[in-house]
Amino acid sequence: MLRTTLEIVNLHIYPSVFKFESRILKETHSIIRLGLASRVIIVSSGERTQLAEENISDKIKVVRVKPSIPSVPFAKLNKAIFYLEFYIRTTIFSLCVRANVINCHSLMMLPVAVLVKRIQRSKLIYDPHELETERIGLRGVFQKLSKWVEKKLIYQTDAIIVVSESIRDWYRNTYQLNNVFTIKNIPQKTHPIKSNILKEKLKISTDHQVFLYQGLISEGRGIELYLNVFSKLNNHQHLVIIGYGPMEPIVREFAMKFPNVHFHPALPPDQILYYTCSADVGLSVIENLCLSYYYCLPNKFFEYIAAGVPLIVSDFPDMSRPVKQYNIGWTVSVNEESLTKLIKNITQADLNKKKSCLEKVRDSFAWEYEEPILSSVFDQIYKTA
């Protein structure tokens, strides 16, 4: 662990709009608390209406690179211009920061991070949130280009942090690396919370069951599957979706048509568990649309556990393993028939049994147990300084 009077600047590069990115917030707060850096700067893209700069704390600051070029009527061209501007301005900004350690949270920005590392002799941590070259929507020439870029640049990194054991093993085996670490996206340890806010706020009867999905509302997250299933169920079983994303209009449309389907806007990290613990079941039925999804271990998975809420998850390796081992939920094949059958047959006795098992293990799933791994990553890269 770092113990020095010198100022150590840690730069995080994140090419998406920074709103409630819980993983980056947890990492950066831990980095400051553990003395691994004296100042943290997060550079991200931003919406035109967001603050250009925001102080998360006295030692952590977000700098948003908002688009300055007027939008054009062609969506693809507009997107290309946006990313080109972000790329150029982030490179210039990163060079001006003179960071000692860079955390690069995306393959897209790895060339920038490697360039800055070489010029400034910084340490570089590749910190992707998924299996970057095997993610949804990436195919053909773009996937080949991504694989080529990662293969060329990954050996320039000093450490790699990933979110699940399967992704860790994939990186180790694919590139023959021994500097890959798993840091799961787990909430900090909390005392048991009692809340009934979802039923109260959405006017759901106290004797009805609430099945909750929280997170990004986008393709592959099971959104259409949930909507199709619950729109055909009896009204005593409710679907609540909390979040934001491109499929939000579809969710809102179903919520207007069906009394047991509800939408709630995204919540900041310091409020989400209060809402989560008022659900009966948490949903994480990810679709097997890419290897990154098959190996995923999303933060919602651990938020459900922290809130003491039993889970329904896809029968994929990293999610199903703890669910089966600790009997804290159900695994299911990703199709409408299987999910419908499972949900229809869940009784209050089943819920009580799963919750009892959760109470025994929930405290063993906490960010405090991930922090030592983060500390060891920084120890390793500083030793090679």
Side-chain angles (χ1 to χ4, degrees), residues 229-256:
V229 167
F230 281 87
S231 64
K232 298 167 187 172
L233 289 176
N234 293 327
N235 290 340
H236 73 278
Q237 292 180 305
H238 294 253
L239 169 66
V240 176
I241 294 180
I242 299 177
Y244 66 94
M247 295 183 68
E248 184 179 322
I250 300 172
V251 176
R252 289 181 178 272
E253 183 181 340
F254 269 77
M256 291 179 66

mmCIF file of all heavy atoms in Angstrom, residues 229-256:
data_model
loop_
_atom_site.group_PDB
_atom_site.id
_atom_site.type_symbol
_atom_site.label_atom_id
_atom_site.label_comp_id
_atom_site.label_asym_id
_atom_site.label_seq_id
_atom_site.Cartn_x
_atom_site.Cartn_y
_atom_site.Cartn_z
ATOM 1 N N VAL A 229 -43.476 -11.815 -20.260
ATOM 2 C CA VAL A 229 -43.919 -12.743 -19.210
ATOM 3 C C VAL A 229 -44.961 -12.092 -18.307
ATOM 4 O O VAL A 229 -46.048 -12.631 -18.079
ATOM 5 C CB VAL A 229 -42.712 -13.237 -18.383
ATOM 6 C CG1 VAL A 229 -43.189 -13.944 -17.099
ATOM 7 C CG2 VAL A 229 -41.849 -14.191 -19.208
ATOM 8 N N PHE A 230 -44.646 -10.905 -17.769
ATOM 9 C CA PHE A 230 -45.529 -10.298 -16.763
ATOM 10 C C PHE A 230 -46.811 -9.738 -17.363
ATOM 11 O O PHE A 230 -47.826 -9.639 -16.658
ATOM 12 C CB PHE A 230 -44.772 -9.225 -15.978
ATOM 13 C CG PHE A 230 -43.887 -9.791 -14.911
ATOM 14 C CD1 PHE A 230 -42.584 -10.176 -15.203
ATOM 15 C CD2 PHE A 230 -44.360 -9.983 -13.623
ATOM 16 C CE1 PHE A 230 -41.760 -10.718 -14.227
ATOM 17 C CE2 PHE A 230 -43.550 -10.529 -12.641
ATOM 18 C CZ PHE A 230 -42.244 -10.900 -12.940
ATOM 19 N N SER A 231 -46.784 -9.399 -18.639
ATOM 20 C CA SER A 231 -48.013 -8.912 -19.265
ATOM 21 C C SER A 231 -49.060 -10.012 -19.394
ATOM 22 O O SER A 231 -50.238 -9.732 -19.643
ATOM 23 C CB SER A 231 -47.703 -8.324 -20.649
ATOM 24 O OG SER A 231 -47.200 -9.326 -21.521
ATOM 25 N N LYS A 232 -48.639 -11.265 -19.195
ATOM 26 C CA LYS A 232 -49.565 -12.396 -19.290
ATOM 27 C C LYS A 232 -49.849 -13.052 -17.934
ATOM 28 O O LYS A 232 -50.593 -14.027 -17.861
ATOM 29 C CB LYS A 232 -48.992 -13.442 -20.248
ATOM 30 C CG LYS A 232 -48.806 -12.921 -21.674
ATOM 31 C CD LYS A 232 -47.955 -13.867 -22.502
ATOM 32 C CE LYS A 232 -47.638 -13.262 -23.869
ATOM 33 N NZ LYS A 232 -46.663 -14.061 -24.632
ATOM 34 N N LEU A 233 -49.235 -12.518 -16.871
ATOM 35 C CA LEU A 233 -49.432 -13.088 -15.541
ATOM 36 C C LEU A 233 -50.601 -12.425 -14.830
ATOM 37 O O LEU A 233 -51.060 -11.349 -15.211
ATOM 38 C CB LEU A 233 -48.167 -12.922 -14.699
ATOM 39 C CG LEU A 233 -46.958 -13.777 -15.074
ATOM 40 C CD1 LEU A 233 -45.767 -13.411 -14.197
ATOM 41 C CD2 LEU A 233 -47.265 -15.264 -14.942
ATOM 42 N N ASN A 234 -51.046 -13.073 -13.742
ATOM 43 C CA ASN A 234 -52.073 -12.467 -12.901
ATOM 44 C C ASN A 234 -51.517 -11.207 -12.238
ATOM 45 O O ASN A 234 -50.309 -11.077 -12.022
ATOM 46 C CB ASN A 234 -52.523 -13.460 -11.819
ATOM 47 C CG ASN A 234 -53.253 -14.641 -12.418
ATOM 48 O OD1 ASN A 234 -53.943 -14.500 -13.423
ATOM 49 N ND2 ASN A 234 -53.100 -15.808 -11.797
ATOM 50 N N ASN A 235 -52.387 -10.318 -11.880
ATOM 51 C CA ASN A 235 -51.969 -9.014 -11.373
ATOM 52 C C ASN A 235 -51.396 -9.029 -9.957
ATOM 53 O O ASN A 235 -51.013 -7.979 -9.439
ATOM 54 C CB ASN A 235 -53.137 -8.027 -11.444
ATOM 55 C CG ASN A 235 -53.473 -7.645 -12.871
ATOM 56 O OD1 ASN A 235 -52.647 -7.797 -13.770
ATOM 57 N ND2 ASN A 235 -54.686 -7.154 -13.092
ATOM 58 N N HIS A 236 -51.342 -10.192 -9.307
ATOM 59 C CA HIS A 236 -50.743 -10.222 -7.973
ATOM 60 C C HIS A 236 -49.226 -10.382 -8.032
ATOM 61 O O HIS A 236 -48.561 -10.342 -6.998
ATOM 62 C CB HIS A 236 -51.362 -11.351 -7.130
ATOM 63 C CG HIS A 236 -50.934 -12.729 -7.533
ATOM 64 N ND1 HIS A 236 -51.510 -13.409 -8.583
ATOM 65 C CD2 HIS A 236 -49.965 -13.549 -7.029
ATOM 66 C CE1 HIS A 236 -50.920 -14.593 -8.703
ATOM 67 N NE2 HIS A 236 -49.989 -14.700 -7.780
ATOM 68 N N GLN A 237 -48.692 -10.557 -9.221
ATOM 69 C CA GLN A 237 -47.236 -10.619 -9.406
ATOM 70 C C GLN A 237 -46.838 -9.442 -10.300
ATOM 71 O O GLN A 237 -47.251 -9.351 -11.457
ATOM 72 C CB GLN A 237 -46.812 -11.949 -10.010
ATOM 73 C CG GLN A 237 -47.024 -13.124 -9.041
ATOM 74 C CD GLN A 237 -46.618 -14.454 -9.631
ATOM 75 O OE1 GLN A 237 -47.099 -14.836 -10.692
ATOM 76 N NE2 GLN A 237 -45.738 -15.165 -8.936
ATOM 77 N N HIS A 238 -46.010 -8.551 -9.752
ATOM 78 C CA HIS A 238 -45.699 -7.280 -10.406
ATOM 79 C C HIS A 238 -44.235 -7.231 -10.857
ATOM 80 O O HIS A 238 -43.342 -7.718 -10.162
ATOM 81 C CB HIS A 238 -45.947 -6.126 -9.438
ATOM 82 C CG HIS A 238 -47.387 -5.960 -9.065
ATOM 83 N ND1 HIS A 238 -48.168 -4.925 -9.531
ATOM 84 C CD2 HIS A 238 -48.194 -6.705 -8.258
ATOM 85 C CE1 HIS A 238 -49.385 -5.037 -9.036
ATOM 86 N NE2 HIS A 238 -49.432 -6.109 -8.255
ATOM 87 N N LEU A 239 -44.026 -6.609 -12.000
ATOM 88 C CA LEU A 239 -42.693 -6.315 -12.508
ATOM 89 C C LEU A 239 -42.415 -4.831 -12.305
ATOM 90 O O LEU A 239 -43.196 -3.975 -12.721
ATOM 91 C CB LEU A 239 -42.607 -6.649 -14.001
ATOM 92 C CG LEU A 239 -41.345 -6.145 -14.740
ATOM 93 C CD1 LEU A 239 -40.102 -6.861 -14.222
ATOM 94 C CD2 LEU A 239 -41.500 -6.339 -16.252
ATOM 95 N N VAL A 240 -41.296 -4.531 -11.651
ATOM 96 C CA VAL A 240 -40.844 -3.145 -11.496
ATOM 97 C C VAL A 240 -39.476 -3.021 -12.152
ATOM 98 O O VAL A 240 -38.557 -3.806 -11.852
ATOM 99 C CB VAL A 240 -40.750 -2.737 -10.007
ATOM 100 C CG1 VAL A 240 -40.188 -1.317 -9.887
ATOM 101 C CG2 VAL A 240 -42.115 -2.820 -9.349
ATOM 102 N N ILE A 241 -39.326 -2.069 -13.051
ATOM 103 C CA ILE A 241 -38.058 -1.821 -13.731
ATOM 104 C C ILE A 241 -37.560 -0.437 -13.333
ATOM 105 O O ILE A 241 -38.247 0.570 -13.551
ATOM 106 C CB ILE A 241 -38.205 -1.934 -15.264
ATOM 107 C CG1 ILE A 241 -38.547 -3.382 -15.641
ATOM 108 C CG2 ILE A 241 -36.938 -1.465 -15.974
ATOM 109 C CD1 ILE A 241 -38.716 -3.617 -17.139
ATOM 110 N N ILE A 242 -36.364 -0.399 -12.744
ATOM 111 C CA ILE A 242 -35.731 0.859 -12.340
ATOM 112 C C ILE A 242 -34.474 1.056 -13.182
ATOM 113 O O ILE A 242 -33.614 0.177 -13.222
ATOM 114 C CB ILE A 242 -35.345 0.841 -10.846
ATOM 115 C CG1 ILE A 242 -36.586 0.671 -9.960
ATOM 116 C CG2 ILE A 242 -34.596 2.120 -10.467
ATOM 117 C CD1 ILE A 242 -36.267 0.569 -8.475
ATOM 118 N N GLY A 243 -34.369 2.180 -13.857
ATOM 119 C CA GLY A 243 -33.154 2.437 -14.628
ATOM 120 C C GLY A 243 -33.376 3.419 -15.749
ATOM 121 O O GLY A 243 -34.346 4.176 -15.774
ATOM 122 N N TYR A 244 -32.448 3.394 -16.702
ATOM 123 C CA TYR A 244 -32.548 4.240 -17.885
ATOM 124 C C TYR A 244 -31.858 3.522 -19.036
ATOM 125 O O TYR A 244 -31.068 2.601 -18.834
ATOM 126 C CB TYR A 244 -31.899 5.617 -17.648
ATOM 127 C CG TYR A 244 -30.400 5.577 -17.439
ATOM 128 C CD1 TYR A 244 -29.522 5.760 -18.495
ATOM 129 C CD2 TYR A 244 -29.861 5.339 -16.173
ATOM 130 C CE1 TYR A 244 -28.152 5.719 -18.305
ATOM 131 C CE2 TYR A 244 -28.496 5.292 -15.969
ATOM 132 C CZ TYR A 244 -27.637 5.498 -17.040
ATOM 133 O OH TYR A 244 -26.276 5.446 -16.843
ATOM 134 N N GLY A 245 -32.170 3.934 -20.264
ATOM 135 C CA GLY A 245 -31.532 3.306 -21.418
ATOM 136 C C GLY A 245 -32.424 3.356 -22.646
ATOM 137 O O GLY A 245 -33.563 3.838 -22.595
ATOM 138 N N PRO A 246 -31.928 2.844 -23.756
ATOM 139 C CA PRO A 246 -32.631 2.972 -25.036
ATOM 140 C C PRO A 246 -33.980 2.261 -25.097
ATOM 141 O O PRO A 246 -34.828 2.628 -25.921
ATOM 142 C CB PRO A 246 -31.648 2.361 -26.045
ATOM 143 C CG PRO A 246 -30.703 1.528 -25.243
ATOM 144 C CD PRO A 246 -30.605 2.206 -23.916
ATOM 145 N N MET A 247 -34.199 1.250 -24.244
ATOM 146 C CA MET A 247 -35.483 0.540 -24.271
ATOM 147 C C MET A 247 -36.500 1.107 -23.279
ATOM 148 O O MET A 247 -37.576 0.538 -23.084
ATOM 149 C CB MET A 247 -35.256 -0.953 -23.999
ATOM 150 C CG MET A 247 -34.451 -1.660 -25.077
ATOM 151 S SD MET A 247 -34.274 -3.436 -24.768
ATOM 152 C CE MET A 247 -35.983 -3.978 -24.994
ATOM 153 N N GLU A 248 -36.181 2.220 -22.689
ATOM 154 C CA GLU A 248 -37.086 2.838 -21.719
ATOM 155 C C GLU A 248 -38.470 3.147 -22.293
ATOM 156 O O GLU A 248 -39.484 2.900 -21.609
ATOM 157 C CB GLU A 248 -36.446 4.109 -21.157
ATOM 158 C CG GLU A 248 -37.233 4.780 -20.077
ATOM 159 C CD GLU A 248 -36.539 6.024 -19.537
ATOM 160 O OE1 GLU A 248 -35.291 6.014 -19.414
ATOM 161 O OE2 GLU A 248 -37.246 7.017 -19.254
ATOM 162 N N PRO A 249 -38.580 3.652 -23.543
ATOM 163 C CA PRO A 249 -39.926 3.913 -24.089
ATOM 164 C C PRO A 249 -40.812 2.666 -24.166
ATOM 165 O O PRO A 249 -42.024 2.744 -23.940
ATOM 166 C CB PRO A 249 -39.635 4.463 -25.494
ATOM 167 C CG PRO A 249 -38.262 5.047 -25.394
ATOM 168 C CD PRO A 249 -37.523 4.141 -24.453
ATOM 169 N N ILE A 250 -40.213 1.512 -24.460
ATOM 170 C CA ILE A 250 -40.982 0.271 -24.515
ATOM 171 C C ILE A 250 -41.512 -0.086 -23.133
ATOM 172 O O ILE A 250 -42.668 -0.493 -22.978
ATOM 173 C CB ILE A 250 -40.117 -0.884 -25.069
ATOM 174 C CG1 ILE A 250 -39.628 -0.555 -26.484
ATOM 175 C CG2 ILE A 250 -40.873 -2.203 -25.060
ATOM 176 C CD1 ILE A 250 -38.623 -1.543 -27.035
ATOM 177 N N VAL A 251 -40.663 0.075 -22.120
ATOM 178 C CA VAL A 251 -41.081 -0.215 -20.744
ATOM 179 C C VAL A 251 -42.225 0.709 -20.335
ATOM 180 O O VAL A 251 -43.219 0.274 -19.744
ATOM 181 C CB VAL A 251 -39.891 -0.069 -19.780
ATOM 182 C CG1 VAL A 251 -40.354 -0.269 -18.332
ATOM 183 C CG2 VAL A 251 -38.796 -1.077 -20.124
ATOM 184 N N ARG A 252 -42.095 1.970 -20.643
ATOM 185 C CA ARG A 252 -43.147 2.938 -20.302
ATOM 186 C C ARG A 252 -44.468 2.569 -20.995
ATOM 187 O O ARG A 252 -45.553 2.701 -20.411
ATOM 188 C CB ARG A 252 -42.720 4.344 -20.696
ATOM 189 C CG ARG A 252 -41.608 4.931 -19.819
ATOM 190 C CD ARG A 252 -41.269 6.336 -20.262
ATOM 191 N NE ARG A 252 -40.248 6.959 -19.440
ATOM 192 C CZ ARG A 252 -40.494 7.646 -18.318
ATOM 193 N NH1 ARG A 252 -41.752 7.775 -17.889
ATOM 194 N NH2 ARG A 252 -39.502 8.205 -17.637
ATOM 195 N N GLU A 253 -44.367 2.104 -22.230
ATOM 196 C CA GLU A 253 -45.561 1.718 -22.990
ATOM 197 C C GLU A 253 -46.273 0.543 -22.324
ATOM 198 O O GLU A 253 -47.504 0.552 -22.158
ATOM 199 C CB GLU A 253 -45.168 1.363 -24.427
ATOM 200 C CG GLU A 253 -46.338 1.010 -25.325
ATOM 201 C CD GLU A 253 -45.897 0.632 -26.729
ATOM 202 O OE1 GLU A 253 -44.767 0.996 -27.121
ATOM 203 O OE2 GLU A 253 -46.677 -0.047 -27.421
ATOM 204 N N PHE A 254 -45.515 -0.470 -21.912
ATOM 205 C CA PHE A 254 -46.111 -1.621 -21.222
ATOM 206 C C PHE A 254 -46.692 -1.196 -19.870
ATOM 207 O O PHE A 254 -47.738 -1.699 -19.455
ATOM 208 C CB PHE A 254 -45.057 -2.720 -21.024
ATOM 209 C CG PHE A 254 -44.993 -3.727 -22.134
ATOM 210 C CD1 PHE A 254 -44.362 -3.415 -23.333
ATOM 211 C CD2 PHE A 254 -45.555 -4.983 -21.995
ATOM 212 C CE1 PHE A 254 -44.305 -4.333 -24.371
ATOM 213 C CE2 PHE A 254 -45.501 -5.916 -23.018
ATOM 214 C CZ PHE A 254 -44.877 -5.590 -24.220
ATOM 215 N N ALA A 255 -45.994 -0.289 -19.183
ATOM 216 C CA ALA A 255 -46.462 0.161 -17.874
ATOM 217 C C ALA A 255 -47.810 0.879 -17.979
ATOM 218 O O ALA A 255 -48.624 0.838 -17.038
ATOM 219 C CB ALA A 255 -45.424 1.074 -17.231
ATOM 220 N N MET A 256 -48.067 1.521 -19.088
ATOM 221 C CA MET A 256 -49.346 2.197 -19.299
ATOM 222 C C MET A 256 -50.471 1.212 -19.626
ATOM 223 O O MET A 256 -51.634 1.455 -19.313
ATOM 224 C CB MET A 256 -49.215 3.224 -20.425
ATOM 225 C CG MET A 256 -48.343 4.421 -20.080
ATOM 226 S SD MET A 256 -48.200 5.596 -21.444
ATOM 227 C CE MET A 256 -49.893 6.197 -21.550
#
